[in-house]
Amino acid sequence: MFFVDTIEVTGLGNRGYLAGGTHTAVVVDPPRDIDRVVAAAARRGVRIGLVVETHVHNDYVTGGLHLARLTGADYLVPADARVSFARTPVRDGDEVTVDEDAGLTLRAVATPGHTPHHTAYVLREGETDVAVFTGGSLLIGTVGRPDLVEPRLTERLARAQHASVRRLAAELPDDTTVLPTHGFGSFCSSAQADGDSTTIGKERASNDALTRDVDTFVADLLAGLDDVPSYYAHMAPVNAEGPAPVDLTPPAAADADEIARRLAAGEWVVDLRNRVVFAEGHVSGALNFEADGKIATYLAWLVPWGKPVTLLAESPAQLAAAQRELARVGIDRPAAAATGGPAQWLRDGETPASFPRAAFADLAGRLPHEQVVVLDVRRDAERAAGYVRGSVHIPLHTLRGRLAEIPDGQVWVHCAGGMRAAIAASLLDAAGRDVVAVDDGFDGAERAGLTTTHA
């Protein structure tokens, strides 16, 4: 008998896997915080004998090298990946034993497309292919995006992606479980996953790479590609160099004077609390990235890379969770941190800053009689499906450098659900603008009669 345990990294939309038999196991695409993987292996009572990477990742820092060194496992990395550390190079067709007693083996299948060196791994029990770890090739209902390596290679890699997915479908039985790394909210996916699990047979019936000819597939894939988070440019080099072990020890504590000093120095002070309580009262100049949102993605996307970050959290548990999330994308050590609330973070005589929240129905009651600025911070693809008439469009990930483009007046900022609007509102508030955060689903704008699809 074999098992497969999923190591969820929900904030980044990724998954790693622990798979094995009675004595030994393999880890596929582990996150940087490997303590979770080690704990999973301990619960199973197995030794980690193999650690494998499907590709050099663009969206997170891998824990593979550290895990292999810690456990003494053999570290398998695609042979054509250019890395600076010792590893076992894997080529198409290579087979390794996972657990001899359980009859488990792993076979490498070259699946270029997401990256030129991408490799999938087929888990075999005896003579049966039972699962395939597809990394960023075949995903649930879609494929990994081909534009993260080099713009001039994008179309070539898209065509390779089509061929790779078809190779997997041709070589594997329909009931083979498909276990991708990306596709659960990750920007490495070319579209959002449709469901939580899949098989080769299900994908054969529904995946565009398996139902469309290559030219149609490539044209549609390239047309649908969205913006790439800026921090991706730093992830692949870190992974190729060999990431340092993660350090999750608590950061230095900051009092109110220290917080004020860091703000005055132009550093980023990030408030992790819920957007509702942040809007009601916060340290002036602090930025709101909710701990329960996609904090790693959006903070790493917006912050100037390498700028010191101080975290403000309502509890030590919230702080520790955020620190773990940020370490996964290379924001290793917060410069300082504090817990509690504005009462602990403000100096004597200072009062909390605040701004109002509203719904699209409230905005409809202000228009067109009052002169307000409506700011849409969604991405281009979202806006193409419909937008608020007369709104200014500046995607959130570009907002920090484009604040001067926003017209004078009170700014009502919205996204699709409220989280990104809260980040944007905090940026505007810190810049001294009069801002209202629209904390509402975009369907509220449609119900209020505010939207159009016309250019």
Side-chain angles (χ1 to χ4, degrees), residues 56-256:
V56 174
H57 306 283
N58 287 276
D59 60 332
Y60 66 91
V61 179
T62 179
L65 180 62
H66 184 204
L67 181 61
R69 288 175 174 174
L70 178 70
T71 61
D74 199 9
Y75 190 31
L76 279 58
V77 178
D80 291 337
R82 297 181 179 179
V83 296
S84 301
F85 48 84
R87 88 291 192 202
T88 299
V90 177
R91 294 175 175 81
D92 186 47
D94 286 354
E95 292 191 17
V96 292
T97 298
V98 176
D99 188 303
E100 187 172 3
D101 289 346
L104 291 178
T105 59
L106 203 65
R107 174 169 59 89
V109 181
T111 47
H114 186 49
T115 65
H117 61 268
H118 193 282
T119 301
Y121 299 90
V122 178
L123 183 67
R124 170 168 282 217
E125 183 183 36
E127 298 301 315
T128 304
D129 295 330
V130 293
V132 56
F133 301 100
T134 55
S137 53
L138 175 60
L139 310 183
I140 300 177
T142 185
V143 298
R145 58 193 299 171
D147 60 328
L148 302 180
V149 178
E150 158 62 54
R152 291 172 295 183
L153 295 178
T154 297
E155 182 173 349
R156 186 189 311 172
L157 288 176
R159 292 180 178 276
Q161 188 74 296
H162 185 268
S164 292
V165 169
R166 290 190 166 226
R167 178 186 177 187
L168 291 174
E171 294 186 4
L172 298 174
D174 278 355
D175 60 355
T176 306
T177 301
V178 175
L179 300 170
T181 300
H182 304 313
F184 309 95
S186 167
F187 280 90
C188 274
S189 174
S190 61
Q192 294 307 301
D194 181 16
D196 194 54
S197 62
T198 193
T199 63
I200 289 291
K202 290 179 181 178
E203 293 308 306
R204 192 191 308 280
S206 61
N207 196 296
D208 286 350
L210 297 170
T211 60
R212 299 184 180 183
D213 66 86
V214 63
D215 290 333
T216 303
F217 167 79
V218 169
D220 290 346
L221 177 62
L222 299 186
L225 292 175
D226 212 334
D227 297 320
V228 178
S230 60
Y231 70 91
Y232 277 30
H234 304 279
M235 295 299 94
V238 167
N239 287 326
E241 182 65 25
V246 67
D247 180 1
L248 296 177
T249 56
D255 59 14

Side-chain angles (χ1 to χ4, degrees), residues 259 263 266-275 278-279 281-291 295 298-300 302-304 307-313 345 353 355 396 399-400 403 419-432 435:
I259 293 169
L263 281 167
E267 298 181 10
W268 275 36
V269 173
V270 173
D271 191 326
L272 302 168
R273 296 175 302 149
N274 177 274
R275 60 183 181 260
F278 178 88
H282 55 269
V283 176
S284 180
L287 305 177
N288 183 214
F289 290 80
E290 290 184 301
I295 176 178
Y298 284 105
L299 180 54
L302 268 68
V303 68
K307 180 177 280 292
V309 173
T310 293
L311 300 179
L312 306 180
W345 304 335
F355 53 77
L396 175 62
L399 181 61
R400 182 173 57 86
L403 293 175
M419 182 192 72
R420 286 173 292 171
I423 297 172
S426 70
L427 285 164
L428 291 163
D429 179 66
V435 63

